[in-house]
Amino acid sequence: MKKIYLLSAATCLFALNANAQTPHNWNEWFCDGAQSEPYEEVQVSSTNLKMAKVVVNDKCANEWDVQFVNVFHEAKGQETGAMFTLDFDVMWEGNTSDSASLYMLTGKLYNNNHADSDWQWSSYGPAEDGTIDEEKGNTELMYVNEAGEVQSFWAGHNKAFKLKKGELTHITWGGKIGKKGADWIGIQINCYDKVNNGNFYFANMVAQFGKKKMEFFMNEAGTTAVADAAALKAYVANDVIYASEAANVIVYNVNGVVVKSAKNVTSLNVADLKAGLYIAKFGNATVKFVK
């Protein structure tokens, strides 16, 4: 079986339980859960992409039986208050349904033996004076609205993304790095649902910490679902989004909330947006930018 070597020499793990895992390193993807198998790097003919294959079998009983995991630690830009986003392309192939679901959340961490375990998935919330108590609950990522206000822990935690069978889908997810997130951000992509039996394929994964980023399973430019697949080109310069031809534009914040839009334009000024990371869909082109 071909293994992926990214950022370290450790390989993905076959885990029957947390105590049986082979040691692994920070900042690398691996598979975890009672029914997980090692991921493998494959070339997928239908997408022409090099992708990480994660298997979900019919023995699964719980959402956490198959997880695709990365625990980020001491990454460049991993600081309290910075924005974190995870972008990737994913496809599901299976025989049980026409669609499947992925669930995005944080909560993985390493103990002193390098076996991973789950952080308490408790909600942070405002104290009596209206401030956020970052000593309680999981503050790896703080979910904010377009005004930069911290929302409920569950506003972005365990967020579900629907996938159509055989279709390449781009996912963007993240939040503002909280106090615990400056130490670790334990990403879990829960792959099991009642109709998810089959294979998930991941490519072009970019973890961004402020303006710094890490890349995994990358392919040549132009092969990702984020890239422009047709003639229209879009870019951002000096707080303005430009396009090569007139089109409708929608700007989303990191939580997927629409913060700005316009119809049939070739440019859009975004100087009025607050600091943060945004995704702009300009016609059939997509561009990500940081304010």
Side-chain angles (χ1 to χ4, degrees), residues 171-198:
I171 290 177
T172 297
W173 174 85
K176 185 168 69 172
I177 299 175
K179 185 174 181 179
K180 290 187 173 73
D183 187 12
W184 74 83
I185 301 174
I187 299 298
Q188 301 179 57
I189 304 177
N190 283 354
C191 298
Y192 176 69
D193 205 338
K194 292 180 180 179
V195 297
N196 280 14
N197 296 339

Side-chain angles (χ1 to χ4, degrees), residues 181-254:
D183 187 12
W184 74 83
I185 301 174
I187 299 298
Q188 301 179 57
I189 304 177
N190 283 354
C191 298
Y192 176 69
D193 205 338
K194 292 180 180 179
V195 297
N196 280 14
N197 296 339
N199 301 322
F200 286 92
Y201 298 90
F202 297 88
N204 302 315
M205 302 189 81
V206 179
Q208 186 149 352
F209 310 83
K211 295 186 179 181
K212 304 294 184 181
K213 65 183 179 180
M214 291 183 177
E215 297 181 340
F216 310 83
F217 320 121
M218 299 303 291
N219 290 265
E220 294 181 0
T223 58
T224 169
V226 164
D228 179 12
L232 192 148
K233 305 294 181 183
Y235 64 95
V236 179
N238 298 322
D239 286 333
V240 178
I241 309 172
Y242 296 95
S244 58
E245 60 186 70
N248 297 337
V249 58
I250 303 175
V251 182
Y252 302 86
N253 69 8
V254 69

Side-chain angles (χ1 to χ4, degrees), residues 143-144 151-157 159 255:
Y143 306 107
V144 298
Q151 302 298 288
S152 163
F153 172 72
W154 297 102
H157 188 75
K159 186 173 182 179
N255 292 324

Side-chain angles (χ1 to χ4, degrees), residues 53-274:
K53 175 183 175 182
V54 176
V55 176
V56 177
N57 60 55
D58 59 8
K59 297 179 182 179
C60 295
N62 300 300
E63 291 87 345
W64 50 88
D65 275 353
V66 177
Q67 302 174 341
F68 204 30
V69 178
N70 198 325
V71 183
F72 294 105
H73 177 63
E74 295 185 345
K76 292 182 178 179
Q78 188 173 347
E79 302 172 352
T80 299
M83 296 301 296
F84 170 86
T85 56
L86 183 66
D87 284 277
F88 57 91
D89 297 327
V90 60
M91 183 179 71
W92 174 76
E93 289 283 4
N95 298 316
T96 55
S97 175
D98 291 332
S99 64
S101 297
L102 289 178
Y103 298 88
M104 302 291 301
L105 60 162
T106 59
K108 281 293 179 182
L109 70 159
Y110 297 152
N111 64 22
N112 293 333
N113 296 321
H114 265 265
D116 66 281
S117 56
D118 283 333
W119 176 250
Q120 178 63 41
W121 293 349
S122 59
S123 175
Y124 49 71
E128 292 183 1
D129 63 357
T131 60
I132 298 298
D133 187 348
E134 295 197 13
E135 298 300 327
K136 296 180 180 179
N138 182 335
T139 58
E140 294 171 65
L141 295 182
M142 315 284 280
Y143 306 107
V144 298
N145 61 18
E146 63 271 21
E149 300 166 333
V150 176
Q151 302 298 288
S152 163
F153 172 72
W154 297 102
H157 188 75
N158 206 31
K159 186 173 182 179
F161 293 87
K162 292 288 186 180
L163 308 177
K164 291 184 179 180
K165 179 180 176 180
E167 292 189 11
L168 194 65
T169 301
H170 186 78
I171 290 177
T172 297
W173 174 85
K176 185 168 69 172
I177 299 175
K179 185 174 181 179
K180 290 187 173 73
D183 187 12
W184 74 83
I185 301 174
I187 299 298
Q188 301 179 57
I189 304 177
N190 283 354
C191 298
Y192 176 69
D193 205 338
K194 292 180 180 179
V195 297
N196 280 14
N197 296 339
N199 301 322
F200 286 92
Y201 298 90
F202 297 88
N204 302 315
M205 302 189 81
V206 179
Q208 186 149 352
F209 310 83
K211 295 186 179 181
K212 304 294 184 181
K213 65 183 179 180
M214 291 183 177
E215 297 181 340
F216 310 83
F217 320 121
M218 299 303 291
N219 290 265
E220 294 181 0
T223 58
T224 169
V226 164
D228 179 12
L232 192 148
K233 305 294 181 183
Y235 64 95
V236 179
N238 298 322
D239 286 333
V240 178
I241 309 172
Y242 296 95
S244 58
E245 60 186 70
N248 297 337
V249 58
I250 303 175
V251 182
Y252 302 86
N253 69 8
V254 69
N255 292 324
V257 176
V258 176
V259 295
K260 201 160 192 175
S261 64
K263 292 184 177 181
N264 198 35
V265 296
T266 57
S267 65
L268 181 67
N269 192 301
V270 292
D272 57 329
L273 296 181
K274 295 182 179 295

